[in-house]
Amino acid sequence: MSDNNITIDIAGTSVPVTALQTNIDVASVLEFKPFKDWVSAISKESYSVKKKELEFKKVEIQNVDYFGPKIGFIKFKVDARLIENGKNVPGIVFMRGGSVAVLLILRSKDENETVNEHVVLTEQPRIPVPSLAFPEIPAGMLDGSGNFTGKASEEIREETGIVIKDQDLIDMTELAYGNQYKGAYPSPGGSDEFMRLCLCIKDMNINDIIKLEGKLGGLRDHGENIVVRL
């Protein structure tokens, strides 16, 4: 167990944070940006309501996965109870932070000036699904810098080899939500993950587009095994 003296402040309440495994460094968890953002946001939410409905008793860090020296995923449980009746609300969290995905459309003209459009997909093993060749639009986790379009263009280059400019990306999430939400939350009952969706329409020569089909992409030294599909 971890040091029981470690606490976080949630809306003025000192909430103890403990670890269920001795190898978990709670101090590093508290510095993990998605966790810091979560603490800040839950406090803001608690202050915003007219009547306090929830009380936070403790946070238990159940597991931490690392990407090299950096934290990748955290699984923790929040003991949060309704003040009215003392009942627990669902509080198990799989924390991984935000991600960005790009709908990339390649546009070309044939000899008759007819416009053709191709959507770029990446195909790779996705064990949780499970699939050994799962098709999806290019995507990747955010790095915490807040530069969504920059991360999106980086993922496109790494996964497909296609170079695009940040200014060519349209942030569809911002158009839909403005600043109200960080992105679309696919599983808010169990994870903090949000996804920002960008759109890019790029004009290319049809011969260059055709060459992309079946191209190998991704960072092999990071365990990525990506095939480009149109």
Side-chain angles (χ1 to χ4, degrees), residues 54-165:
L54 284 178
E55 58 180 352
F56 298 89
K57 295 293 188 179
K58 61 181 177 179
V59 174
E60 293 180 339
I61 310 299
Q62 299 175 328
N63 196 28
V64 179
D65 288 305
Y66 291 86
F67 295 166
K70 296 182 179 181
I71 292 178
F73 306 137
I74 299 175
K75 184 175 181 289
F76 62 93
K77 183 178 180 180
V78 181
D79 185 347
R81 306 177 189 181
L82 293 169
I83 294 176
E84 182 181 22
N85 55 23
K87 297 293 184 180
N88 286 87
V89 298
I92 295 177
V93 181
F94 174 63
M95 177 166 283
R96 60 173 294 166
S99 59
V100 60
V102 183
L103 177 60
L104 176 59
I105 300 174
L106 303 181
R107 189 168 55 189
S108 65
K109 290 183 180 181
D110 58 23
E111 61 275 7
N112 297 318
E113 293 297 306
T114 301
V115 176
N116 297 293
E117 293 181 332
H118 301 264
V119 173
V120 176
L121 299 179
T122 58
E123 189 176 84
Q124 59 186 307
R126 289 302 196 191
I127 303 303
V129 175
S131 172
L132 299 182
F134 190 75
E136 57 192 83
I137 62 176
M141 294 185 65
L142 295 171
D143 56 12
S145 67
N147 183 9
F148 303 114
T149 56
K151 185 60 178 178
S153 59
E154 177 185 323
E155 290 295 333
I156 288 290
R157 184 178 67 256
E158 289 179 357
E159 296 188 1
T160 70
I162 300 172
V163 177
I164 59 176
K165 298 177 181 178

Side-chain angles (χ1 to χ4, degrees), residues 1 22 26 31 48 64 80 90 104 131 149 160 165 206 217 219:
M1 300 291 288
T22 56
V26 176
E31 291 303 313
S48 68
V64 179
L104 176 59
S131 172
T149 56
T160 70
K165 298 177 181 178
I206 184 60
L219 301 176

Side-chain angles (χ1 to χ4, degrees), residues 164-185:
I164 59 176
K165 298 177 181 178
D166 293 1
Q167 57 264 34
D168 294 333
L169 288 159
I170 301 172
D171 189 339
M172 303 297 287
T173 308
E174 184 178 14
L175 292 177
Y177 294 136
N179 295 322
Q180 186 175 8
Y181 299 108
K182 290 183 177 180
Y185 288 82

